[in-house]
Amino acid sequence: MTQTAVGWHVELEFLEDDTHTRAVALVRLADGTEIRAHGHASRHESDSNQPRVGEEIAGARALNELAMQLLSKAHGEIDADSGRHSHPINV
């Protein structure tokens, strides 16, 4: 059995102000596809200003969306290869 090492690099970028954090996640796949996803977090006015927490929440939401897009892409490729409609891939 031959094993191949494959790696992905996921980039996360954040745009923040005093109450909002936006995250963009990007992964480039070996087939040349780039998948981009977004996440958002809002600080409640009674919470202290902790940018790291906003980044964690917005980043997690962007990564979750990225994961869903990857599952959808894989599902489409399975269907295209098999010529039939397969069961959805669950998380």
Side-chain angles (χ1 to χ4, degrees), residues 5 9 14 25 28 32 38 43 45 64-65 69 71 76 80:
H9 293 278
F14 300 96
R28 291 179 185 91
H38 299 85
R43 180 177 64 83
E45 62 188 32
N64 185 57
E65 176 61 28
Q69 288 184 44
L71 286 170

Side-chain angles (χ1 to χ4, degrees), residues 27-77:
V27 64
R28 291 179 185 91
L29 304 177
D31 67 2
T33 303
E34 287 188 356
I35 298 177
R36 185 179 314 263
H38 299 85
H40 180 262
S42 297
R43 180 177 64 83
H44 188 273
E45 62 188 32
S46 65
D47 292 335
S48 63
N49 190 5
Q50 298 181 53
R52 178 185 49 80
V53 173
E55 290 167 4
E56 291 169 353
I57 294 169
R61 288 175 174 162
L63 290 170
N64 185 57
E65 176 61 28
L66 188 69
M68 298 309 294
Q69 288 184 44
L70 285 165
L71 286 170
S72 180
K73 180 180 184 307
H75 184 254
E77 290 172 354

